[in-house]
Amino acid sequence: MAKTVKIALAGEGGQGVQSVAGIMVGAANDKGREALYIPNFGVEQRGGVSVAFCQISDDKIGSPKFKKADLVIALSDRAVRRTTQYVDENTVFIYDSSIEDIEDDLPKNAKKVIGIPALDVAKKELHPRVFNVIIMGAAIEATHIVEMPEAKEALEKKLGYKFEQNPKLRPLNFTALEKGAELVKELL
Amino acid sequence: MSKAPNMPKSWREETKPHKFCPGCGHGLVLKALGQAIDELGIQDRVVFGCDIGCSLLSFDFFNVDSVQTHHGRTTPVVTGVKRARPDRICIAYMGDGGGYAIGSQHLVNAAARNEKITVILANNCNYGMTGGQMAPTSLPGMKTETTPYGRDPEVTGYPTQGPEMVSAITREGAYVARGTVANVRQLKNYIKKALQNQVEGNGFSFVEALSGCPTNWSTNAKDTWAFIEETMPKYFKVGELKAPAKKEE
Amino acid sequence: MAEKPIQGEKRVFMTGNEVAAWAALAAEADIMYGYPITPQNEIMHYWTRLSPKFDRGFLQTEDEISAGFTTCGGVLSGKRAFTATAGPGNTLMQESMTMAEMMRIPLVCVVQQRGGPSTATVIYSQQEATMTCYGGNGEGFRIVYSTSTHQELYDYVIKGFNTAWTYRFPTFVLGDGYQAKMRESLHIYDPATKGINMVATEPSLGLEGTPGVDRDPQHLRNTYNTEEELYEVVSELVADYEKAAPEIVEYQTFDTDDAEIVIVAHGIVTRAAQAAVKELREEGIKVGHFRPITLRPFPANELKEIASKAKKLIVMESAQGQFDRMVKHAIYGLTTPIEDYFKPGMGITSEEIVEYVKKGM
């Protein structure tokens, strides 16, 4: 992969987009690739839309922010509105299909706009807490910045101590990761 | 050495006579400080910081390592030294403007942190070096260059009670006193106790010294001393406000 | 003596604030004085977690005025002391920095620029360039390194201590909120493994021996009585600064040899400029990039030579002309046209630089 892959992940504070971004770029870095992650933050410590700008490349990375992303994932109505500016004809735009009243706000110029029922799946099939891991699975499937085994390794590295305390968490998180990939696979 | 009689050993003879105005109280405060340093035998360990205002004229006063800082900033500079070199005895010397106005946040927070430094503050009820403006310690009704009709407490508040404030915000281990140049022996004892408190590593120590400024007060010797001895103590009570409990044997 | 914080060299992936703390540790910094302000806070957070393991000190002061002056006190005591700040905190710290200039106090200060004026944003800008180079009442007798990557942040914090203690001017590492908060890879190392020896420190106060008996006392001051007295002191500062400047000044060039268009940028904007030049060169456009690493002293001669051969300069910065004024001052006398691309408080991407250069052709 010669090109730099640019990802903007956006959600409400507490949805875990920053931790997912951190784990993903960490996985790429562990593979020896160049990765850059910058959290977009405001004055307040909590609340508000949180955007994570990630770039992964085989070369040194230029400016930490970018105008247009290869992949945008938006997890709330405000996040959708906030991130359409990063979309152009090369962008895959993924949003959670449970978000209401955003049809008019979805980007019209994207390469693909994909709604996935990540929140529903998390709540009904897995656990609300792994919502962001489903999103991570989707992001990895859409970009292949790392492959699934490496993504699992990264989760293990980050959450291993929790897995030790509660062994059920490991398959739960890994299933969530795979489920996220499945949700987007057919639609890309 | 042929030092003049009564000149403390820690004074630097080469810089005497000093640069303060005739009748100024600084010389007496610094005499008390010099004697205290001598009696404690700490001259080789003292780091002396002086402020802006007339106190800056003391930067070469002693045979001790000295630094003249900015207005109000002597407390942090001396704090920085003490934190980097806890083995030194660190003294911050300043006036009422430096301690109670422009540098008040530093005094308050150094006291609240119980920094193991000694602050000595000369209170002469006005800004001397800049020409006699109202200070936080100017007395009600007192005429200064910026209160030409007398200080009106309704407009500008009442005189700052420095040692009372420091005493209120310090915990055990602190030493707080107010002396006066009218009683140099007592003032020296207070300063000595303050320095001893630092030597023992107990906590913050603070001595305010009531002092005179005949130049800006426009007073003769008799009126200067009357003001220091009779008028100032009506607002500023001389005595010890706080001393660490005696250590158990 | 605790063992070295970093053995040898290793690749890490961390935020710039963490980098700054590790660099100060590796540089054998003795003590940090600081006050909370975003986006600098994590330098203190990491320092307070790491430093006790290596017997280093920390003091959280009541404000940045105090942080600056306590740092002065630490350095005067002969310790490798540093502080870090941003935005309004940098403003408050300027008073102490002038004392450091006047009294040759070799402190190190890391600045993570945030948006201005006023409280503005906690995110990013290059709006503290003028203040960091020339703040306070004085003449800017300072050394300012403007970094662009985490590797540089690490390298120049270490180097900053040595520059400060070699030349005895306050030394700044000028980063920004992006550098503070972003994660990227770099190599951290024990300076000794790179042949870097930390310049020895020495006390100005609290010397050994009894003053007046074994030695003269130190009587340090920054106040002078007469114009003549001050003029002599400042002239000496000027002479020392000008003598040191050629040894300190640093810059980088990218494809400037045959460049018709030269982009001039500093700090993190150089990353976008470098990427843009690469892309534009692939399309055959003769564009180059000049990047001062030191804003003080400024690589004026070097820029002037390159600018004299170019057909156009484009000055790009995330501020409204603070860097531009330094550039114009440096190349005064040339007639090369200059275009300004100012984005106060906003990041600049390579995409927009490419677009701007093409549009102007």
Side-chain angles (χ1 to χ4, degrees):
Chain A
M1 211 184 305
K3 190 176 164 291
T4 302
V5 177
K6 299 171 180 178
I7 305 170
L9 275 176
E12 296 296 312
Q15 282 185 315
V17 297
Q18 301 297 350
S19 43
V20 160
I23 296 171
M24 285 199 309
V25 291
N29 175 71
D30 286 346
K31 243 183 100 184
R33 306 193 64 198
E34 288 302 328
L36 189 153
Y37 154 50
I38 181 162
N40 188 261
F41 48 94
V43 177
E44 69 279 331
Q45 287 279 333
R46 302 279 180 272
V49 178
S50 164
V51 187
F53 296 90
C54 308
Q55 298 181 70
I56 294 96
S57 179
D58 291 324
D59 294 322
K60 283 282 174 195
I61 293 163
S63 44
K65 274 197 182 170
F66 43 79
K67 290 272 175 203
K68 304 296 171 189
D70 299 293
L71 172 68
V72 173
I73 301 185
L75 302 177
S76 73
D77 51 352
R78 295 195 300 175
V80 168
R81 289 180 204 113
R82 171 86 176 266
T83 51
T84 47
Q85 59 178 309
Y86 304 117
V87 173
D88 70 5
E89 65 282 0
N90 301 313
T91 309
V92 172
F93 187 93
I94 298 174
Y95 66 101
D96 191 278
S97 48
S98 70
I99 309 170
E100 291 174 354
D101 298 327
I102 45 146
E103 285 69 26
D104 295 340
D105 296 315
L106 291 171
K108 309 287 180 283
N109 56 338
K111 182 169 144 195
K112 262 205 169 100
V113 177
I114 301 170
I116 58 168
L119 199 56
D120 260 16
V121 170
K123 277 186 188 159
K124 290 173 186 159
E125 297 177 28
L126 299 165
H127 190 282
R129 291 275 295 278
V130 294
F131 169 61
N132 61 345
V133 181
I134 299 178
I135 295 303
M136 178 175 158
I140 283 165
E141 182 62 30
T143 57
H144 291 282
I145 49 168
V146 289
E147 297 307 324
M148 204 44 85
E150 293 148 356
K152 287 182 181 171
E153 250 175 68
L155 275 181
E156 185 74 42
K157 190 173 160 189
K158 181 80 180 173
L159 302 172
Y161 72 100
K162 283 191 182 169
F163 296 170
E164 294 308 314
Q165 290 164 4
N166 182 356
K168 282 181 196 161
L169 290 178
R170 186 179 285 111
L172 177 67
N173 275 274
F174 289 177
T175 309
L177 198 65
E178 284 157 7
K179 190 75 200 177
E182 260 172 53
L183 289 177
V184 293
K185 197 164 195 168
E186 301 298 312
L187 303 168
L188 284 166
Chain B
M1 270 214 267
S2 60
K3 277 195 177 172
N6 300 328
M7 192 185 277
K9 190 164 78 57
S10 54
W11 276 24
R12 185 160 178 83
E13 203 182 356
E14 290 85 335
T15 57
K16 305 294 168 299
H18 59 62
K19 308 176 190 80
F20 298 106
C21 302
C24 172
H26 274 296
L28 292 169
V29 182
L30 295 170
K31 182 175 182 178
L33 175 57
Q35 289 169 346
I37 291 172
D38 289 354
E39 288 177 21
L40 291 168
I42 54 173
Q43 186 186 341
D44 58 340
R45 285 197 283 154
V46 166
V47 171
F48 176 79
C50 61
D51 217 67
I52 296 299
C54 297
S55 66
L56 85 84
L57 300 175
S58 65
F59 84 95
D60 60 358
F61 203 92
F62 293 102
N63 260 329
V64 305
D65 286 352
S66 308
V67 57
Q68 167 257 312
T69 77
H70 283 198
H71 197 23
R73 314 307 176 211
T74 307
T75 305
V77 170
V78 161
T79 297
V81 172
K82 185 70 183 184
R83 290 278 178 158
R85 289 291 304 274
D87 60 322
R88 299 287 122 168
I89 304 304
C90 299
I91 302 167
Y93 185 60
M94 65 196 67
D96 39 48
Y100 299 151
I102 192 168
S104 55
Q105 78 273 40
H106 307 312
L107 177 63
V108 164
N109 284 282
R113 288 194 303 263
N114 221 5
E115 293 287 349
K116 293 172 182 63
I117 62 170
T118 301
V119 174
I120 299 169
L121 184 148
N123 171 5
N124 63 7
C125 297
N126 79 138
Y127 285 85
M129 183 159 273
T130 46
Q133 295 85 5
M134 182 186 74
T137 47
S138 296
L139 303 182
M142 189 171 166
K143 284 183 179 168
T144 72
E145 289 298 331
T146 49
T147 55
Y149 304 106
R151 179 177 189 174
D152 177 358
E154 287 304 311
V155 180
T156 58
Y158 283 88
T160 298
Q161 301 287 315
E164 288 77 2
M165 173 184 73
V166 172
S167 177
I169 60 177
T170 45
R171 301 289 296 252
E172 56 279 0
Y175 177 85
V176 185
R178 180 188 280 119
T180 170
V181 294
N183 188 344
V184 175
R185 178 186 287 268
Q186 179 197 51
L187 178 62
K188 187 251 320 180
N189 282 334
Y190 290 164
I191 291 175
K192 190 176 166 186
K193 283 186 184 175
L195 290 172
Q196 181 63 29
N197 201 47
Q198 183 180 169
V199 169
E200 289 171 6
N202 293 330
F204 192 68
S205 49
F206 181 71
V207 178
E208 179 187 292
L210 301 183
S211 178
C213 183
T215 301
N216 286 301
W217 292 353
S218 303
T219 45
N220 60 22
K222 182 169 164 281
D223 292 343
T224 301
W225 283 102
F227 197 82
I228 296 169
E229 290 183 301
E230 292 157 28
T231 311
M232 287 176 79
K234 287 181 193 159
Y235 295 90
F236 305 117
K237 198 164 169 276
V238 173
E240 285 182 304
L241 287 91
K242 193 174 220 169
K246 285 266 183 293
K247 286 214 173 86
E248 287 184 30
E249 295 299 315
Chain C
M1 185 71 191
E3 67 178 30
K4 287 189 171 184
I6 301 161
Q7 310 285 341
E9 177 171 355
K10 61 179 175 183
R11 182 185 153 126
V12 293
F13 186 67
M14 52 173 66
T15 67
N17 282 335
E18 194 173 357
V19 170
W22 275 107
L25 265 186
E28 297 166 32
D30 295 300
I31 186 164
M32 177 185 189
Y33 303 88
Y35 184 81
I37 188 162
T38 310
Q40 163 283 131
N41 296 310
E42 294 84 1
I43 298 180
M44 298 190 301
H45 300 177
Y46 286 109
W47 180 261
T48 50
R49 278 155 186 76
L50 295 166
S51 59
K53 298 174 187 167
F54 303 97
D55 299 328
R56 319 290 177 84
F58 175 76
L59 175 65
Q60 181 170 327
T61 57
E62 58 274 16
D63 56 25
E64 287 89 350
I65 299 173
S66 183
F69 280 102
T70 47
T71 306
C72 287
V75 171
L76 289 169
S77 306
K79 299 296 179 186
R80 206 175 273 113
F82 75 107
T83 185
T85 190
N90 195 3
T91 306
L92 289 185
M93 214 174 264
Q94 289 308 313
E95 187 193 340
S96 55
M97 296 304 148
T98 67
M99 186 167 107
E101 283 181 45
M102 179 64 121
M103 301 177 82
R104 306 293 293 268
I105 299 172
L107 60 80
V108 169
C109 177
V110 179
V111 175
Q112 303 286 34
Q113 299 169 90
R114 56 186 269 173
S118 181
T119 316
T121 72
V122 299
I123 303 170
Y124 160 83
S125 85
Q126 295 189 310
Q127 294 169 294
E128 296 171 47
T130 305
M131 175 160 65
T132 305
C133 290
Y134 295 103
N137 61 334
E139 303 286 355
F141 300 123
R142 304 156 176 217
I143 294 148
V144 180
Y145 293 110
S146 177
T147 58
S148 73
T149 64
H150 282 13
Q151 191 63 60
E152 288 179 358
L153 205 50
Y154 189 79
D155 296 345
Y156 283 101
V157 167
I158 293 170
K159 189 170 195 172
F161 282 105
N162 275 351
T163 312
W165 283 94
T166 302
Y167 300 101
R168 298 196 72 96
F169 289 108
T171 299
F172 297 78
V173 177
L174 185 64
D176 56 58
Y178 285 174
Q179 293 185 65
K181 297 281 186 176
M182 75 187 194
R183 286 176 197 276
E184 70 173 351
S185 71
L186 74 150
H187 287 84
I188 62 174
Y189 49 81
D190 168 13
T193 62
K194 300 262 180 189
I196 300 168
N197 296 313
M198 295 317 296
V199 174
T201 63
E202 55 178 304
S204 307
L205 292 172
L207 278 54
E208 293 308 310
T210 305
V213 179
D214 309 318
R215 62 174 175 89
D216 281 342
Q218 292 284 94
H219 286 156
L220 314 177
R221 61 169 171 161
N222 52 57
T223 308
Y224 298 93
N225 259 328
T226 66
E227 291 166 60
E228 289 75 13
E229 210 179 358
L230 172 67
Y231 179 66
E232 196 183 317
V233 170
V234 176
S235 297
E236 200 172 307
L237 286 171
V238 171
D240 284 359
Y241 191 84
E242 286 179 353
K243 183 164 173 279
E247 296 169 26
I248 298 166
V249 79
E250 287 186 48
Y251 64 96
Q252 278 183 310
T253 58
F254 302 88
D255 290 315
T256 49
D257 284 350
D258 63 341
E260 294 175 357
I261 302 167
V262 173
I263 298 164
V264 192
H266 77 99
I268 204 159
V269 179
T270 188
R271 297 169 71 119
Q274 288 172 41
V277 165
K278 211 168 162 188
E279 197 177 326
L280 290 162
R281 280 278 170 178
E282 279 167 15
E283 296 181 34
I285 297 169
K286 287 192 170 175
V287 56
H289 168 43
F290 184 90
R291 178 244 171 155
I293 295 173
T294 49
L295 294 184
R296 281 289 289 155
F298 196 88
N301 297 335
E302 296 81 356
L303 174 60
K304 198 165 186 178
E305 193 184 326
I306 286 163
S308 68
K309 291 184 285 187
K311 290 188 178 149
K312 179 164 89 178
L313 296 187
I314 307 172
V315 180
M316 301 186 133
E317 61 175 309
S318 298
Q320 192 62 28
Q322 301 195 18
F323 175 61
D324 186 61
R325 283 194 288 276
M326 298 180 200
V327 170
K328 283 176 178 157
H329 177 76
I331 64 164
Y332 178 75
L334 295 184
T335 53
T336 315
I338 300 175
E339 285 176 15
D340 296 325
Y341 188 89
F342 298 156
K343 284 284 180 78
M346 275 279 290
I348 296 174
T349 64
S350 54
E351 294 135 291
E352 67 189 283
I353 297 180
V354 168
E355 195 182 321
Y356 180 84
V357 170
K358 283 187 180 169
K359 209 167 68 185
M361 292 187 58

